[in-house]
């Protein structure tokens, strides 16, 4: 009984497809089985499928200030390096992105799959690819955070019917600034924005100023986010940069919220400025980029835990809003991917149980409860 | 002490004389080594002698096949021949589409009346009624719970009148009224909204609008204008897309449906 328990604890880590390891242990097996030194996602092909590639930690801080799954972040801290497995859904997305026509309206891709199969990791892989290619990445790590557990709700000064969320907006702006510093200096605003009686941003100022405004005056943070989204959408069509809109848990935008107004009436998602503006980004009335999203049941509100298909999680409204989109299913590990992850964990000395090396141990890890 | 009757029973005895009517289980009359009950302390289920569990439950020892044969033989004198022309279920349904079900009750008591005997159930298959598309949908909406989609059967149960004849007449009247009302179209039926629709219709839906908008934008970016809506709707890719969306919405999501939808969207948006 004891053996089973210890192996299961390790199996849970393994099976949630967080394939990141560190590389400092003695190579017992030929590392080519699970490791590739190709660290540019653009060069990943079917040949690299099932292998792990590493992201340098400095790059990690810039590209992913937010957005990696929490388990993965723990793993990075433990192993002191980030290794991501190259899998088929991500490679498929790369072919589409590489061959997409940027004069056509932006295509929506929806990554879906059962719990713990690697949707968020696939999205992070795509974000890394686009960041390396020089795209401007608009990464919303978890849209569910914007529709629940909000400490402060202010009435929006721009539109009286809507509600602002200063804390969420300012934290997102901070992370956005970290990952896209150089773009914020280059992109210029196209019209004048008035924030208050004496504060305004003139036409032609760098977008970084709008972000600063949102960060210093937290009250205007949600409107600043709206301005940033609007500017990026309009300017990506001019062709000076490519825009990737990456949203995790996009089904939050069309679901229900757990927030309540002061008179205890429930808030519907479109009454939140952040959600309203993000929904506008999800439409395909702009070109010069792509929209990659994931559906997520964990963290979703009022959805049964067995739901994972697009229509179940998006609902009728969400499906109609995103239609036509390209669905990308993410399955559990294939036997080859499992082998790779297993050898990697062995290599990192993460599987400490003495029986983990044996065939029986491997079987037990592969099939939980079996 | 006298041994129980079971030891003196012949193997080919007439069982219906041992249990002619419903009676409790008598261990001395049933020659079977039956055990029933909870095995206490890793033991075995208790034997049949003095077994309250076996005595409590209803038993059907009086209804063995030979006993039933005797019942049928006795009832045969009161029956008429089944018409020889109706030898299959399909012929019965074709000539007599409406099935009426009534139940008669007999009990030993002071009165032969039973209030439950007035219940009449009418069953009819909608495919046997002359209904067009609108009439069928309206009828199903009117009857609600009484229609079963899997067997296409409408079941009307009436018991509001005191006599069986009256209930039967009322049931037939209900069927007639439903039939005629479903053929009529009221003025307010034109206000039927998308939520009231029974199945997904792609024409004039949000999905069609989205697809056409996207295609027009794609064509505009390639400097091809003056593409009419009808041309787009008649093209192969749009038809394929329409079929996959309809399948997805009507049949639910399966692996097959999702991959079909994916392929059709890829063709629509021209993605390799």
């Amino acid at each position: 009984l004891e053996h089973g328990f210890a192996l299961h604890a390790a199996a849970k880590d393994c099976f949630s497809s967080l394939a990141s390891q560190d590389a400092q242990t003695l190579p017992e097996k030929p590392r080519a089985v699970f490791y590739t030194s190709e660290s540019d996602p653009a060069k990943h092909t079917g040949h690299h499928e099932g292998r792990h590639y590493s992201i340098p930690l400095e790059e990690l801080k810039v590209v992913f200030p937010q957005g990696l799954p929490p388990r993965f972040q723990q793993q990075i801290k433990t192993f002191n390096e980030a290794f991501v497995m190259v899998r088929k859904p991500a490679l498929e997305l790369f072919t589409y992105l590489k061959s997409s026509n940027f004069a056509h309206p932006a295509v929506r891709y929806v990554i879906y799959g059962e719990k713990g199969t690697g949707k968020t990791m696939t999205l992070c892989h795509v974000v890394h690819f686009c960041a390396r290619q020089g795209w401007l990445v608009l990464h919303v790590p978890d849209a569910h955070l914007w529709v629940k557990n909000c400490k402060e709700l202010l009435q929006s000064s721009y539109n009286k019917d809507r509600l602002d969320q200063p804390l969420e907006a300012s934290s997102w702006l901070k992370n956005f600034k970290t990952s896209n510093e150089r773009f914020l200096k280059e992109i210029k605003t196209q019209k004048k924005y008035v924030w208050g009686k004496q504060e305004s941003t003139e036409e032609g100022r760098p977008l970084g100023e709008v972000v600063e405004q949102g960060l210093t005056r937290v009250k205007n943070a949600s409107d600043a986010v709206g301005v940033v989204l609007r500017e990026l959408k309009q300017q990506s069509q001019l062709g000076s940069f490519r825009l990737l809109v990456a949203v995790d848990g996009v089904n939050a935008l069309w679901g229900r919220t757990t927030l309540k107004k002061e008179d205890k009436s429930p808030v519907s998602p479109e009454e939140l400025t952040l959600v309203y503006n993000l929904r506008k980004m999800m439409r395909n009335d702009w070109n010069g980029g792509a929209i990659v999203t994931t559906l997520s049941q964990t963290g979703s509100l009022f959805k049964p835990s067995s739901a994972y298909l697009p229509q179940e999680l998006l609902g009728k409204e969400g499906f109609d809003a995103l239609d036509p989109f390209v669905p990308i299913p993410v399955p559990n590990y294939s036997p080859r991917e499992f082998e790779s992850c297993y050898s990697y964990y062995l290599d990192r000395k993460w599987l400490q149980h003495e029986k983990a090396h044996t065939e029986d141990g491997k079987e037990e890890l592969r099939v939980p409860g079996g | 002490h006298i041994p129980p009757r079971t030891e003196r029973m012949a193997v080919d005895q007439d069982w219906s004389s041992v249990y002619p009517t419903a009676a409790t289980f008598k261990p001395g009359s049933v020659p079977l080594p039956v055990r029933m009950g909870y095995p206490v302390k890793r033991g075995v289920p208790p034997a049949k002698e003095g077994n309250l569990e076996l005595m409590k439950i209803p038993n059907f020892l009086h209804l063995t096949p030979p006993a039933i044969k005797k019942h049928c033989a006795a009832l045969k004198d009161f029956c008429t021949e089944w018409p020889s022309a109706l030898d299959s279920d399909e012929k019965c349904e074709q000539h007599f589409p409406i099935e009426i079900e009534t139940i008669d009750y007999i009990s030993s008591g002071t009165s032969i009346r039973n209030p439950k005997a007035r219940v009449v159930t009418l069953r009819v298959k909608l495919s046997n009624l002359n209904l067009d598309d609108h009439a069928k949908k309206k009828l199903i909406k009117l009857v609600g719970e009484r229609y079963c989609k899997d067997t296409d059967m409408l079941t009307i149960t009436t018991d509001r009148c005191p006599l069986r004849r009256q209930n039967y007449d009322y049931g037939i009247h209900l069927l007639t009224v439903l039939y005629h009302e479903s053929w009529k179209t009221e003025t307010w039926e034109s206000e039927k909204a998308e939520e009231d629709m029974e199945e997904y219709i792609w024409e004039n839906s949000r999905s069609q609008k989205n697809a056409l908008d996207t295609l027009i934008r794609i064509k505009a970016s390639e400097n091809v204008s003056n593409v009419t809506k009808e041309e787009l709707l008649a093209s192969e890719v749009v038809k394929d897309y329409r079929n996959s969306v309809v399948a997805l919405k009507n049949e639910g999501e399966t692996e097959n449906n999702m991959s079909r939808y994916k392929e059709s969207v890829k063709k629509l948006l021209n993605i390799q």
Side-chain angles (χ1 to χ4, degrees), chain B residues 19-83:
Chain B
Y19 267 89
T21 47
T24 46
F25 180 86
K26 299 184 194 66
S29 306
V30 178
L32 302 167
V34 170
R35 286 182 176 272
M36 179 155 165
Y38 182 74
V40 176
K41 266 196 190 176
R42 317 295 313 159
V44 293
K48 64 177 177 175
E49 280 81 20
N51 194 329
L52 198 62
E53 299 290 318
L54 281 169
M55 284 199 271
K56 281 192 304 194
I57 54 169
N59 63 63
F60 294 95
L61 294 161
H62 57 293
L63 291 176
T64 51
I68 306 252
K69 272 210 175 64
K70 288 192 192 168
H71 294 170
C72 291
L75 284 172
K76 218 182 177 80
D77 297 337
F78 301 101
C79 301
T80 51
E81 280 278 338
W82 183 260

Side-chain angles (χ1 to χ4, degrees), chain A residues 202 215 224 296:
Chain A
E202 298 295 323
L215 285 173
S296 162

Side-chain angles (χ1 to χ4, degrees), chain A residues 63 126-128 130-131 135-139 172 176 179-180 183 242-246:
Chain A
V63 178
V126 172
V127 165
H128 188 218
C130 292
W135 293 36
L136 202 168
V137 172
L138 199 93
H139 187 42
W172 185 81
F176 179 66
S179 25
N180 297 306
F183 282 111
R242 303 249 182 275
L243 178 62
L244 173 78
V245 180

Side-chain angles (χ1 to χ4, degrees), chain B residues 50-185:
Chain B
N51 194 329
L52 198 62
E53 299 290 318
L54 281 169
M55 284 199 271
K56 281 192 304 194
I57 54 169
N59 63 63
F60 294 95
L61 294 161
H62 57 293
L63 291 176
T64 51
I68 306 252
K69 272 210 175 64
K70 288 192 192 168
H71 294 170
C72 291
L75 284 172
K76 218 182 177 80
D77 297 337
F78 301 101
C79 301
T80 51
E81 280 278 338
W82 183 260
S84 52
L86 292 174
D87 44 7
S88 71
D89 275 336
E90 289 80 25
K91 280 203 194 140
C92 292
E93 205 190 299
Q94 185 199 349
H95 294 287
F96 301 99
I98 307 183
E99 288 176 10
I100 315 283
E101 196 175 297
T102 49
I103 304 181
D104 291 295
Y105 297 84
I106 319 173
S107 64
S108 59
T110 46
S111 145
I112 57 166
R113 316 273 169 207
N114 190 322
K116 290 199 277 191
R118 70 181 198 281
V119 173
V120 173
T121 307
L122 239 108
R123 272 204 310 272
V124 70
K125 277 211 179 159
L126 288 192
S127 43
N128 293 330
L129 294 172
N130 180 19
L131 296 166
D132 74 349
D133 191 45
H134 160 264
K136 185 162 177 192
K137 288 194 176 142
K138 184 166 176 184
L139 188 84
I140 295 175
K141 269 206 188 309
L142 280 172
V143 300
E145 285 262 326
R146 298 174 186 80
Y147 176 70
C148 169
K149 221 163 47 161
D150 300 323
T151 56
D152 191 32
M153 195 78 98
L154 169 65
T155 313
I156 302 179
T157 311
T158 37
D159 68 342
R160 56 172 60 187
C161 306
L163 297 181
R164 185 186 287 166
R165 166 72 69 84
Q166 294 169 342
N167 277 320
Y168 169 73
D169 288 337
Y170 180 62
I172 297 290
H173 163 75
L174 267 186
L175 190 61
T176 325
V177 163
L178 277 170
Y179 178 76
H180 288 296
E181 280 300 310
S182 60
W183 270 100
K184 293 188 209 160
T185 313

Side-chain angles (χ1 to χ4, degrees), chain A residues 266-280:
Chain A
V267 175
S268 66
E270 52 271 2
E271 288 176 6
L272 295 167
T273 332
L274 287 175
V275 172
Y276 181 77
N277 289 322
L278 196 59
R279 275 198 198 177
K280 282 200 284 194

